[in-house]
Amino acid sequence: MAVLVHKQSNIIVQGFTGKEGTFHAGQMIEYGTNVVGGVTPGKGGMEHLGKPVFNTVADAVAKANADTSIIFVPPPFAADAIMEAADAGIKVIICITEGIPVQDMVKVRAYIDTKDCRLVGPNCPGVITPGEAKVGIMPGFVFKKGKVGIISKSGTLTYEAADQVVKAGLGITTAIGIGGDPIIGTTTKDAVELLMNDPETEGIIMIGEIGGTMEADAAHWIKAHGTKPVVGFIAGQTAPAGRTMGHAGAIVGGSEDTAEAKMRIMDECGIHVVHSPADIGDTMAKVLSA
Amino acid sequence: MNLHEYQGKELLKNFGIAVQEGITAENVEDAMAAYKAVTDRTGNEFAVIKAQIHAGGRGKGGGVKVVKGAEKAREAANDIIGMMLKTPQTPGGMEGPGKLVSTILVAEDAYVPDFDSCKEYYMSILTDRGSKCNVIVYSTEGGMDIEAVAEETPHLVHREFIDPMLGLQGFEARKIAFNLGLSGKAFKECTKFVAKLYKAYVSSDASLFEINPLLHTGNDDFVAVDCKVSLDDNALYRHKDLLEMRDTREEDPTEVEAAAVGLNYVQLDGNVGCMVNGAGLAMATMDIIKLSGGDPANFLDVGGTADAARVEQAFRIILRDDKVKAILINIFGGIVRCDRVAQGVIDAYKNMGNINVPIIVRLQGTNADIAKKMIDESGLNVQSATLLKDAAAAVQKVLG
């Protein structure tokens, strides 16, 4: 089963003919992902990487049955691209773009809440279901098929966790990079819920970082509804207050934003919290064999 | 990006918001000219001398003084310009070195002449992550630390969440004015103030506006006496005028230099430097350093293209800090090939000649095996590791 992206997903790339879009779409196609085309306004009718280019997302939906979109559009135009996808009826919208103004995302969130779709990101590495579809910028070879779901705000830390899980002999159902911005589409809790309901996923790895309350919200949900073991890690235990650590959302404002507070809540909610990021894979293996 | 008080006030004035007026000065002569202009306009001898630095709590460290008469104004300006101002928010707090004050604002005393009938409120706007919308926070308890008010008397702090699609509505502004206990002219002026403030917030892509105190004068006018303004860095491309207000003197010079070459660097005060690709992995690497018995000396995200030139820049910046006893490089190669990074480390090491601290390089992902071999055969004082665990153990070992 896995979640969000599958072998049969009909995927389009928004910002298809740009530098980033071209490079990563090429990698996705090489991985075996079912890319059915791309969108670049004004270049409709062309062919790029052997796939059709459309002027609008609506065209791509009508002519190529697109149901999933990945966005590589530059920050000033990315909010517009997300809303265009939502309006055209795309069900899963994955936005890679980093640096979208927060007020744009406030509007986008309100808009997509009125549509029947799911947004992942922005400022995220994307989503991968190993062996089926890579809809993101992650190195595909690190992710091997298996039974653990991964949720993370960070790119390279997701790869790190995936690598440990694979080396522990477990493999991955779907890895979801939710992104490091203050306002994002799919929250930690949303992603946990998806993986809890996926019959193939036997355990979940939840990687958070300082800032916001998403991990605590997810932990409370897990305590009330969880049916599978969850291993959790929060990056930024040594981060000073009031400083943004790379990701726009990674900043300690109040006492609830700290890694310590989040890990305490996660622990109280029955999550297997690891203090070292080196212990993620081994802990999952131990928990699943118990 | 943060603005100085005087810059924030300029922004507010552009939206028709009344502020405590003032003139900036960088030396005592200019301060006295400013004092004369300000007091000529108000017709009284009172003024407020305010240090302009990017930190709150300026009054606590002696950075804000109310003065009466030219003599006292000169004294205050002389004291404040050039001082190292310590506030609870400057680096290290009241025990730290403080921040150099190079600019002051010579402002009118907006409480004169009817000091006794003035009231102080609190009002801020911020973008709330939980509710994913802008929220106006306000209280009748102005002029003090709002965190303390929220702690001790939470029922006195109100919040109004604004629908992103609709923006601020009339009934919301009225609710705010009623909750502040206003009626008549004051009620009307307050709703206007709120509407203008919200418009300014959204139009300037701000991430925080804090007006504390918001003065309700004896004439029932509303005046922003102080303001803290933070802007969304991601939106500055569409606000060139605001971008010009950036004061790099308020930022760490090393961080500014790092940003100019595409490195995301934050100075900390530990003994192990680190260089990592990706913000999340960089924070996790700092955690590993701590768990291995060290303290991270910095946060450093080298980004997606960790080539020799960039690695060398990063080395130079980290090594400038003489507290650094070891460096941990942690790269997870995805699109970035580990052998390229390894070559970067080797080249940078050779170019720089004498690096006296041990270096631990952990390379994982694309071409990690080739990279490890390159490091091991380079003959340099660099230890390689593939697993994160092994890197942690190596850090522990070098720290002894």
Side-chain angles (χ1 to χ4, degrees), chain A residues 102 104 160 237 243 282, chain B residues 232 238 255 287 362 389:
Chain A
V102 178
D104 288 6
E160 174 67 45
Q237 298 165 54
R243 297 301 309 269
D282 289 350
Chain B
D232 177 5
R238 58 189 177 203
E255 291 173 19
D287 296 340
R362 184 271 180 151
K389 273 184 240 183

Side-chain angles (χ1 to χ4, degrees), chain B residues 304-325:
Chain B
T305 49
D307 55 12
R310 202 176 275 204
V311 170
E312 187 173 333
Q313 287 278 8
F315 265 134
R316 289 190 191 282
I317 285 168
I318 292 171
L319 287 167
R320 213 174 289 161
D321 180 353
D322 54 20
K323 289 196 295 291
V324 169
K325 298 280 176 288

